[in-house]
Amino acid sequence: MGKIGIIIQREFNERVRKKSFILTTLLTPLLFVGMMVAIFLLARVSLSETREIAVIDHSGVVARQLESDRTVMFIPTAKSQEDIRREKSDGQHENLYGILVIGEDIMTNTSAVMLYTYQPSTIEVETVLATRISDIVENEKLKQFDIEDLPQILEAVKTNVSLSAYRIDESGNDKQSSSGLAMGLAYIFGFLIYMFVFMYGAMVMQGVIEEKSSKVIEVIVSSVKPYQLMMGKILGIASVAVTQFLIWAVFLVVAQMALVSLFPGLVEGAAAGMADSAPVDMATVQAMDPDIAAMVETLSDGMFLFKLLGGFLIFFIGSYLLYAAMFAAVGSAVDNVADSQQLQLPITVPLILAIVIMINVMREPNSPVAFWFSMIPFTSPIIMIARIPYGVPGWEIALSAVILFATFALMVWLAAKIYRVGIFMHGKKPTLAELIKWARYKY
């Protein structure tokens, strides 16, 4: 362990003193804030774009009731579709987005609606058009029942329900929950593990390849065993990652304290800090927008943040150790990064699969698929951290972590056997079968 400690110290000192580490540590939180602001601004820009749509209504019912707004401008026309297309090709209708054709039998045939666009259509536009036409057709069908004062009745019965969700924890207490916040945190933290495992794992592989190519490794292994060198490199880079995450955790804690100081009433039962600086009680805030109140209350819960950040740290370390051992084995088997692409495929497939499954997990966090993939060690870090914001029993988190670290112990044993052979092999890119053969060598 003394020799491994020296290697860990060397790897740690070499990387934390680099300008790239300092800049990454300081700029990453600002980058995420900037990304969120950019997404918000882009959303506003996209919403402010008005799309002009020519409407050809063969039924004579729908077009006159379509109302334009800041996203869609409807232009009813008696011209044929061929005439509009010809005029468009001749340079007229410069801002025309598309042509909406409504069939004559729209009241009985709901599929008699076609949209032809000059730009790629979007789900947003198609949903808006389908919803508005559906509402118009429904109203026309209701009129056939000849109900007196129908518009006033429909307006009177229109109701918007604001749902406040609460989760009963293991001790029987009620805690306000936000499914939107849980989904957002699940996606962010799951994707962060995916990204950082690749980043730090590739750092291990790159370091092994550089030392192997420069022949330095042949001098180093005269003083330490290959296993000690591999473990020192893996743990050294892991210490760099943990240091970086701890700095970011401090940043998040400071941000959370700032949030509590800005909204002290949300924690103690009364909210303050509205636009007019007038005090507002918790019930009023929840009645106005319960989901926002739930988000703020959840983010102000220190235990929730501790569980989320603690789980993230544990599963990131476990996934990094597991995948770093495999990346080190791949790095020892090749002479340059280009040759490693083929051997990286078996490593990357489980991570990509976990990202795909995570989308389904965010919809059903307690489904059998979510449970079992949160136990399989190659996918569990991403899947489990995506489940934690929804509330996962402690024994499931503990069992998943134990399986993950036990698999790491097995994988590092196999990777070390490949590593001790691969670091001395030059000039030939091994196949997967040869790597398995190296792992079966007895020493």
Side-chain angles (χ1 to χ4, degrees), residues 113-170:
V113 181
M114 284 76 70
L115 175 65
Y116 304 89
T117 62
Y118 289 96
Q119 303 174 21
S121 181
T122 64
I123 292 293
E124 178 190 9
V125 173
E126 294 174 9
T127 302
V128 167
L129 296 179
T131 301
R132 295 187 185 183
I133 295 173
S134 296
D135 292 341
I136 292 172
V137 172
E138 288 175 3
N139 289 332
E140 290 296 322
K141 289 182 177 180
L142 285 172
K143 290 178 180 178
Q144 296 176 3
F145 290 93
D146 195 21
I147 301 175
E148 187 177 355
D149 298 328
L150 179 62
Q152 291 80 3
I153 295 174
L154 293 176
E155 187 64 29
V157 300
K158 186 182 294 184
T159 306
N160 293 321
V161 177
S162 296
L163 176 68
S164 297
Y166 295 85
R167 183 177 181 273
I168 304 173
D169 60 19
E170 297 174 357

Side-chain angles (χ1 to χ4, degrees), residues 354-369:
I355 288 292
V356 174
I357 295 174
M358 182 181 71
I359 306 301
N360 180 65
V361 168
M362 290 190 295
R363 298 191 184 99
E364 295 291 340
N366 295 313
S367 65
V369 172

Side-chain angles (χ1 to χ4, degrees), residues 130-276:
T131 301
R132 295 187 185 183
I133 295 173
S134 296
D135 292 341
I136 292 172
V137 172
E138 288 175 3
N139 289 332
E140 290 296 322
K141 289 182 177 180
L142 285 172
K143 290 178 180 178
Q144 296 176 3
F145 290 93
D146 195 21
I147 301 175
E148 187 177 355
D149 298 328
L150 179 62
Q152 291 80 3
I153 295 174
L154 293 176
E155 187 64 29
V157 300
K158 186 182 294 184
T159 306
N160 293 321
V161 177
S162 296
L163 176 68
S164 297
Y166 295 85
R167 183 177 181 273
I168 304 173
D169 60 19
E170 297 174 357
S171 59
N173 298 322
D174 298 346
K175 287 190 175 182
Q176 195 167 9
S177 62
S178 170
S179 59
L181 178 64
M183 178 173 289
L185 291 174
Y187 182 82
I188 291 172
F189 280 90
F191 188 77
L192 282 178
I193 285 188
Y194 170 83
M195 183 176 67
F196 286 130
V197 165
F198 262 119
M199 184 175 74
Y200 291 111
M203 195 181 295
V204 172
M205 184 182 70
Q206 182 69 34
V208 173
I209 293 175
E210 289 177 356
E211 291 178 349
K212 180 180 176 181
S213 301
S214 63
K215 309 294 184 181
V216 173
I217 204 164
E218 297 178 4
V219 178
I220 297 177
V221 294
S222 64
S223 302
V224 298
K225 296 179 180 179
Y227 172 80
Q228 294 173 322
L229 178 61
M230 185 186 75
M231 284 301 299
K233 187 171 290 292
I234 291 173
L235 296 178
I237 296 178
S239 64
V240 175
V242 171
T243 301
Q244 206 165 41
F245 286 138
L246 289 177
I247 295 173
W248 292 337
V250 171
F251 173 82
L252 287 176
V253 171
V254 172
Q256 187 236 358
M257 293 174 64
L259 182 67
V260 173
S261 65
L262 290 173
F263 301 97
L266 289 176
V267 182
E268 300 172 1
M274 302 296 287
D276 56 357

Side-chain angles (χ1 to χ4, degrees), residues 78-113:
K79 298 179 181 179
S80 66
Q81 185 180 163
E82 292 74 16
D83 291 339
I84 298 175
R85 290 192 179 194
R86 185 174 59 256
E87 292 175 357
K88 175 69 174 176
S89 62
D90 291 339
Q92 302 180 44
H93 310 299
E94 191 173 311
N95 298 323
L96 187 64
Y97 176 80
I99 304 171
L100 180 65
V101 180
I102 300 171
E104 186 177 358
D105 57 344
I106 184 62
M107 300 298 294
T108 56
N109 181 12
T110 56
S111 62
V113 181

Side-chain angles (χ1 to χ4, degrees), residues 260-366:
V260 173
S261 65
L262 290 173
F263 301 97
L266 289 176
V267 182
E268 300 172 1
M274 302 296 287
D276 56 357
S277 300
V280 182
D281 61 13
M282 185 66 181
T284 303
V285 174
Q286 290 178 337
M288 292 172 59
D289 199 332
D291 201 40
I292 292 179
M295 288 183 183
V296 176
E297 184 175 349
T298 301
L299 291 174
S300 302
D301 185 353
M303 184 57 66
F304 172 80
L305 290 180
F306 175 79
K307 184 178 180 181
L308 182 63
L309 294 176
F312 176 78
L313 193 61
I314 290 172
F315 282 97
F316 167 74
I317 292 174
S319 61
Y320 163 77
L321 293 174
L322 176 63
Y323 281 94
M326 293 187 284
F327 274 112
V330 170
S332 69
V334 298
D335 293 326
N336 53 71
V337 177
D339 292 340
S340 67
Q341 300 301 318
Q342 181 180 357
L343 297 177
Q344 284 187 62
L345 183 61
I347 301 176
T348 58
V349 166
L351 287 171
I352 297 173
L353 178 63
I355 288 292
V356 174
I357 295 174
M358 182 181 71
I359 306 301
N360 180 65
V361 168
M362 290 190 295
R363 298 191 184 99
E364 295 291 340
N366 295 313

